[in-house]
Amino acid sequence: MEITLQVNGARRSIDVDPRVSLLDLLRERLGLTGSKKGCDHGQCGACTVLIDGRRVLACLALAVAQDGAEITTVEGLASGERLHPLQAAFIEHDAFQCGYCTPGQLCSAVGMLAEGGPSAVTEELAGEPELTAEEIRERMSGNLCRCGAYPNIVTAIAEVGA
């Protein structure tokens, strides 16, 4: 099947097998290797990308189902040589160690900051909740870091979200 995607601002038309995941399309066919294949079961978040501005696990999304969608990967977060504010904050706060989960953490954080609304830990449901460390941890809970860089990840997100 031929599908058309807007990937990191560039229009791409590509023939895909209907069984191919978005993650495999991005990595193997389009050469965008920033999104990582961690568990390939939607449990670790290393493959998180933004589809039409919302966080999605690319290993669970079929590429054919994204026809016409706007996809943003970690490679598309920066604006030329200027890093996205979250990328700069991750560097400033040393919010990574091995870096394997970092692309998924960054895309998830960008989507999380844009989502808003209450989470499972929000006490007051009326209005926009304060972006506390507990709120950030809850909203980022689908992204695992085996190195344990969580405190610095939360600090970096909190700085940008303030």
Side-chain angles (χ1 to χ4, degrees):
M1 294 185 69
E2 183 175 0
I3 63 170
T4 302
L5 303 171
Q6 190 80 10
V7 182
N8 297 330
R11 183 179 160 96
R12 306 290 298 262
S13 292
I14 188 163
D15 284 321
V16 297
D17 182 304
R19 300 167 292 182
V20 171
S21 72
L22 177 59
L23 178 61
D24 288 341
L25 174 71
L26 292 170
R27 291 182 57 78
E28 297 171 15
R29 299 285 303 282
L30 300 181
L32 297 170
T33 57
S35 302
K36 303 298 185 226
K37 186 177 277 199
C39 66
D40 212 20
H41 294 288
Q43 297 176 351
C44 71
C47 66
T48 305
V49 298
L50 300 171
I51 299 178
D52 296 328
R54 299 203 37 99
R55 307 185 271 179
V56 174
L57 300 170
C59 73
L60 297 181
L62 289 174
V64 295
Q66 311 316 314
D67 189 24
E70 183 177 330
I71 313 292
T72 304
T73 68
V74 70
E75 293 93 342
L77 293 180
S79 179
E81 294 294 315
R82 196 175 81 186
L83 294 177
H84 185 283
L86 275 166
Q87 290 172 310
F90 267 56
I91 292 169
E92 180 183 333
H93 294 285
D94 198 23
F96 51 87
Q97 287 181 31
C98 80
Y100 196 82
C101 72
T102 305
Q105 296 275 2
L106 285 164
C107 285
S108 187
V110 169
M112 183 264 308
L113 289 174
E115 286 167 10
S119 77
V121 299
T122 306
E123 289 185 28
E124 177 57 49
L125 298 179
E128 190 63 30
E130 181 182 347
L131 195 60
T132 63
E134 181 182 32
E135 195 74 42
I136 292 169
R137 282 192 297 274
E138 172 63 23
R139 292 167 186 240
M140 293 292 293
S141 64
N143 291 81
L144 303 179
C145 173
R146 294 202 166 130
C147 298
Y150 296 117
N152 296 352
I153 291 169
V154 170
T155 302
I157 295 170
E159 178 182 284
V160 174

